[in-house]
Amino acid sequence: MTTTGTTRTTALRHFLRDDDLTPAELRTVLELTATLRADRFSRRPLAGPQSVAVIFDKPTLRTQVSFVTGVVELGGYPMVVDGNLAQIGVRESISDSAHVLGRQVSAIVWRTHAQTRLEEMAEVAGVPVINALTDSFHPCQVLADLATIAQHRGGVEALSGQTLAHVGDGSSNMAHSYLLGGATAGLHVRIGCPPEFAPDPRILADATARAAQTGGSVTVLTDRDEALSGADVVATDTWVSMGKEDEAAQREAPFVPFRLDADGMALAAPDAIVLHCLPAYRGKEITAEVLDGPQSVIWDEAENRLHAQKAVITFLLEGA
């Protein structure tokens, strides 16, 4: 198919949730991530420059910086769209907006609210659509997290069999993406969370099915210490996701037992690494001694957003 600025010989693909990539495709993207980390200007699929619409309906720092930088390094032009001004789905329909964008850009990156908004955009746009975060998933972040684990564990092939424990909000977009992305990579994913904040059962079922294909596993536990025991990788995230700020007071009490602190890290493997997608709230979901300690790889993780997103854009534009 042909789109503005780009001629594709492969079928149109999107990256809306983590399991949109097969296990083999995930390995390809992660290997390309490592290549782009070693040589940031080795691929130029957007040379022209071709434009990429980068739309933000939610607050952003790392996502905006990494996508804008990445599109430029791939030879393109990042057309940043303020979602509050565009009011996609309010001022005009998502479908109409998709028709307009798809005729002028080579890809669409959208950080928005409901997953259904992203899916509607993908149905109509005619160019690759990439999830830069929704209420349900954060697949680009988990791509970066998997790249970070591979970076510290000897490469992509070392991912399979690693145990990753995420403690905190099991119903969050990060927990959902860890389940799907981790299962796709062959990880043993444990979600430690209060029972009232468990993952969506449908997403858990999808992750279980994917894990059966890769030799991984997914487990939901209501005890932090059990989740952390022997884990190779430990992750957490804010207890109050964007859009839930009015729930902050009532959310804190159930999550305090799931705080990631030195006592919790002592239960993990001695060489365990610590991930946090940021922004972090020291003294809430994670203590400063853990976040800023020697086992933390969060700055590598934040940098890998750039490389992983460049890799997935390249994959979607050029195919495997």
Side-chain angles (χ1 to χ4, degrees), residues 55-57 81-92 97:
I55 310 167
F56 297 107
D57 296 346
V81 178
D82 183 340
N84 293 319
L85 292 177
Q87 295 186 17
I88 296 172
V90 177
R91 185 168 173 267
E92 61 183 322
S97 301

Side-chain angles (χ1 to χ4, degrees), residues 2 21 31 36 55 73 107 143 179 204 218 230 260 262 272 318:
T2 302
L21 297 176
E31 288 165 357
L36 291 169
I55 310 167
E73 292 185 358
L143 269 186
L179 285 166
L204 184 61
V218 295
L260 186 56
E318 297 184 346

Side-chain angles (χ1 to χ4, degrees), residues 1 46 53-54 59 81 87 90 95 97 118 160 172 208 259 262 280 289 301:
M1 64 174 290
L46 292 169
V54 189
V81 178
Q87 295 186 17
V90 177
S95 177
S97 301
L118 199 73
S160 181
S172 69
T208 300
R259 177 178 290 132
E289 63 182 333
E301 178 188 7

Side-chain angles (χ1 to χ4, degrees), residues 3 12-13 38 60-61 73-74 76 79 122 129 139 144 161 192 194 202 207-208 227 243 266 296 299 301 305 314:
T3 61
L12 176 64
R13 295 285 300 276
T60 176
L61 171 63
E73 292 185 358
L74 292 174
M79 183 178 68
V129 175
R202 296 166 297 179
T208 300
S296 172
W299 307 124
E301 178 188 7
R305 285 290 300 276
T314 301

Side-chain angles (χ1 to χ4, degrees), residues 149-166:
I149 299 168
Q151 182 181 2
H152 288 268
R153 290 289 187 255
V156 175
E157 295 303 319
L159 285 173
S160 181
Q162 292 280 304
T163 297
L164 181 149
H166 175 274

